[in-house]
Amino acid sequence: MEEDASVTTTPNSDRSQSHEGEATVDIEKSSTRQIAERDGHQIVKATTAQDWSGPDDPENPHNWSLWNRIYHTASVGFLLLASTFGTSVYTPGVASVQKDFNVSATAALLPLSLYTIGLGLGPVMGAPISETLGRKAVYLFTFPPALLFTMGSGLSQNFGSLLVCRFLAGIFSSPCLAVGAGSNSDVWSPFERAIASAFFLFAPFAGPAIGPVVGGFCVQRWDWRWTQWAILIVGGAAYLFSLFQKETYKKIILRRRAKRLNIPPPAQNLPTSPLAKLKLILMITLGRPLVMLFTEPLVSLFSIYTAFNFSVLFCFFAAFPIVFGGVYGFNPGETGLSFLGIGLGCLVAVACFVAIDRVTYRKRTLAARAKGDFSPLPPEQRLYAAMLGSLLLPIGLFWFAWSARSSVHWISPILATVPFACGNLLVFCSCMLYLIDTYGPISGASAAAANGVLRYAAGAGFPLFTRQMYERLGIEWATSLLGFVTVALLPIPWMFFRYGGRLRARSAYQTFGGK
């Protein structure tokens, strides 16, 4: 089906003019011309694949119906939830794995760490597929192998095969995490994106909160292998729900339009050689993120902050059995239920983020537009939620540290995880929007990849020494140590709000209001 471009009149454009009664149209940027009859007159229609044919182009995902866009956000979010669910659902089975394979408690945590490391490798696999075949191909082609390797994990008869299968399951789950944010930005305009992002980013944080609840009862009723069957059930449902997606990536949509209408395709920013194209993509997704991580203060400091917060969440996977099993005598199912405080905190974070966006960024954008100013606000306007989150993180950790004792009711440490989880998600949402607004889509993707690499690397490492830390320092001081670090990192969003403009101006990359 052919699409019509916007028809405009411009003094400096090439025009196709007719005699009396015929139309004068701008066919600048047009790739073909089609002649149609209306009321006995010829009308020239311009069709292009160089860009959207106009603000109302029906193939532009921004113009899809609201429910269609909600579906595409929800389907990708469900896949992200299933991917991160695979991390924590395993943790209640650590003691069972330790017994089955006769390994130490630390070794039994390695399947968790290897899966998490695999999740951090998403950009390396997801970006090349996304650039050549589109976002939909990433979800449809990479997630089924993740489910197959999860099945292999459940069927493993030795510890080595469990480690390999968990690592590969993480790798093949990771592309969904890598391109999910891109899919979200494909279907929502910048003005609407903050609210959509809050709900979208809730999904990968909800997975680790739900996982121990399900895993705890699986282990209590059966054994650790049922944690893997649970991943298959959740992942299979998410995959089936995603099958009805359409392609959302602009470049791929325009390329297919060009092929369908036999017109010139959009300009190719990547090299034509497959090897050179792969080299460039890997540079953007792996090389540049590592460079930015060490040379860009905005990227490095925010990445350290979010990585540490993420790591504390993963510490809880090893710490909660010590606290709720050891202090309060919870069984595996009840210990899993204690993670619901984290899930509640994430829900509160979504509500807070939406409210903060409406009274700050959205309100000021509408006020500027009313005055005729349609330029975007400075990225620092995205940081109000992070500043609130920075205060909630130490409050939750110190509350947890000094209330997790037999003389205090068990509900108190569970409630303490609510402000921690809320602050964690608020900081992360603000960080992602801030980096994208600061560096733009290309360098912003590299900045987000740098954040992901450090976040998942730290998340994989922390659980391996959590048990030893809690046994040597005790619950109070081990958790307080984590709280003191969040206090030390607390000034980061406040500093960026105050001095972010100066740091952007000194960046080696093209930034908002900078070079």
Side-chain angles (χ1 to χ4, degrees), residues 58-76:
E59 288 192 271
N60 183 350
H62 290 178
N63 296 322
W64 293 353
S65 69
L66 176 61
W67 285 110
N68 197 8
R69 288 182 288 156
I70 289 174
Y71 163 72
H72 280 77
T73 298
S75 60
V76 176

Side-chain angles (χ1 to χ4, degrees), residues 201-222:
L201 292 175
F202 167 76
F205 279 79
I210 298 171
V213 179
V214 177
F217 286 106
C218 286
V219 172
Q220 185 174 327
R221 177 65 178 83
W222 296 289

Side-chain angles (χ1 to χ4, degrees), residues 6 13 22 36 59 76 84 100 106 108 116 141 184 205 233 306 382 402 418 452 510:
S6 299
S13 62
E22 295 180 324
E59 288 192 271
V76 176
T84 56
D100 275 11
T106 301
T116 306
F141 297 152
N184 192 53
F205 279 79
I233 294 170
T306 57
R382 300 286 196 184
W402 297 98
V418 175
Q510 179 71 38

Side-chain angles (χ1 to χ4, degrees), residues 120-131:
L121 300 178
V124 178
M125 181 185 296
I129 298 174
S130 178
E131 286 293 327

Side-chain angles (χ1 to χ4, degrees), residues 29 48-54 57 59-62 64 130-131 133-136 182-183 185-187 246-258 265-267 269 441:
K29 298 183 182 179
T48 179
Q50 303 304 310
D51 202 344
W52 300 127
S53 59
D57 190 326
E59 288 192 271
N60 183 350
H62 290 178
W64 293 353
S130 178
E131 286 293 327
L133 300 176
R135 317 272 198 215
K136 182 179 179 180
S183 294
S185 63
D186 288 341
V187 299
K246 297 190 290 186
E247 182 55 57
T248 64
Y249 193 18
K250 177 181 179 179
K251 182 186 296 184
I252 301 300
I253 294 173
L254 292 177
R255 193 181 301 166
R256 291 176 181 173
R257 174 190 289 182
N269 296 323

Side-chain angles (χ1 to χ4, degrees), residues 95-171:
S96 179
V97 169
Q98 185 180 355
K99 180 180 178 181
D100 275 11
F101 297 116
N102 194 27
V103 296
S104 68
T106 301
L109 283 167
L110 281 174
L112 166 66
S113 296
L114 289 174
Y115 184 92
T116 306
I117 291 173
L119 291 182
L121 300 178
V124 178
M125 181 185 296
I129 298 174
S130 178
E131 286 293 327
T132 54
L133 300 176
R135 317 272 198 215
K136 182 179 179 180
V138 173
Y139 306 126
L140 295 186
F141 297 152
T142 66
F143 200 69
L147 298 179
L148 290 176
F149 284 114
T150 296
M151 181 184 296
S153 299
L155 296 173
S156 294
Q157 298 303 310
N158 60 73
F159 191 59
S161 65
L162 174 61
L163 295 178
V164 171
C165 286
R166 284 283 292 175
F167 180 58
L168 292 174
I171 288 178

Side-chain angles (χ1 to χ4, degrees), residues 123 178 181 283-304 306 428 431-455 507 509-511:
M283 186 274 292
I284 294 173
T285 60
L286 191 60
R288 185 187 292 169
L290 293 177
V291 172
M292 296 182 79
L293 196 58
F294 290 101
T295 61
E296 291 288 303
L298 295 175
V299 177
S300 57
L301 289 176
F302 244 145
S303 295
I304 290 171
T306 57
F428 182 72
C431 168
M432 289 295 101
L433 289 173
Y434 180 75
L435 292 177
I436 295 296
D437 284 2
T438 296
Y439 290 99
I442 301 299
S443 295
S446 296
N451 186 284
V453 167
L454 189 60
R455 196 170 69 251
S507 174
Y509 297 87
Q510 179 71 38
T511 61

